[in-house]
Amino acid sequence: MRSLIDVTSIKLWMDRMQVVRKAIEGFWENIKLYREEDPEEFEKNFPNYDPAFLEVEVQSVSITFDNFPELNYNHVHVVIPIRYKGKNMGMYKILFTFDGHIEDDFFIID
């Protein structure tokens, strides 16, 4: 059975909008701000910080169609786990509008 949703088109959109690049840049910007704005907490969560020990990979990409039934609040969600020295620390989530703009992002430490 053929799928009704063309995943190839979604992947092409992601490439054209540079979603992965923007998500990774957002991740690094949030790490930088966290380190500058709350150095004590940062050191507690990332002891002897070395960026080489951060694993930065996109884990998932999803599309949400919210505000049902109007469906007028829609986003592409990109999730990057926050992993430091092999330990899961939380997640970075960034939301894109369908025209490729960043709507919001979340840097969550568990």
Side-chain angles (χ1 to χ4, degrees):
M1 182 170 149
R2 190 175 168 131
S3 174
L4 294 176
I5 297 174
D6 184 2
V7 176
T8 304
S9 293
I10 296 167
K11 176 71 169 103
L12 289 171
W13 175 87
M14 288 176 60
D15 291 345
R16 188 172 62 250
M17 298 298 164
Q18 301 179 359
V19 167
V20 172
R21 180 188 62 77
K22 290 177 183 177
I24 291 172
E25 286 174 357
F27 174 91
W28 287 112
E29 181 63 22
N30 274 268
I31 283 283
K32 177 181 164 244
L33 290 172
Y34 182 30
R35 190 175 186 198
E36 291 171 359
E37 293 173 3
D38 199 343
E40 288 180 23
E41 182 180 311
F42 185 89
E43 180 60 30
K44 184 180 105 185
N45 287 313
F46 299 96
N48 302 313
Y49 177 68
D50 182 341
F53 290 114
L54 276 167
E55 301 169 34
V56 183
E57 294 181 1
V58 170
Q59 178 183 46
S60 65
V61 176
S62 59
I63 297 174
T64 60
F65 300 99
D66 290 325
N67 197 25
F68 187 82
E70 291 81 9
L71 301 176
N72 59 2
Y73 190 69
N74 309 309
H75 297 94
V76 174
H77 295 227
V78 178
V79 175
I80 298 175
I82 301 170
R83 292 185 48 84
Y84 185 65
K85 296 183 179 180
K87 181 181 174 192
N88 288 326
M89 306 295 298
M91 73 168 190
Y92 173 70
K93 184 176 188 177
I94 186 168
L95 283 61
F96 292 89
T97 58
F98 287 170
D99 61 0
H101 292 97
I102 296 169
E103 176 83 12
D104 206 349
D105 66 346
F106 309 90
F107 191 86
I108 303 163
I109 299 292
D110 294 332

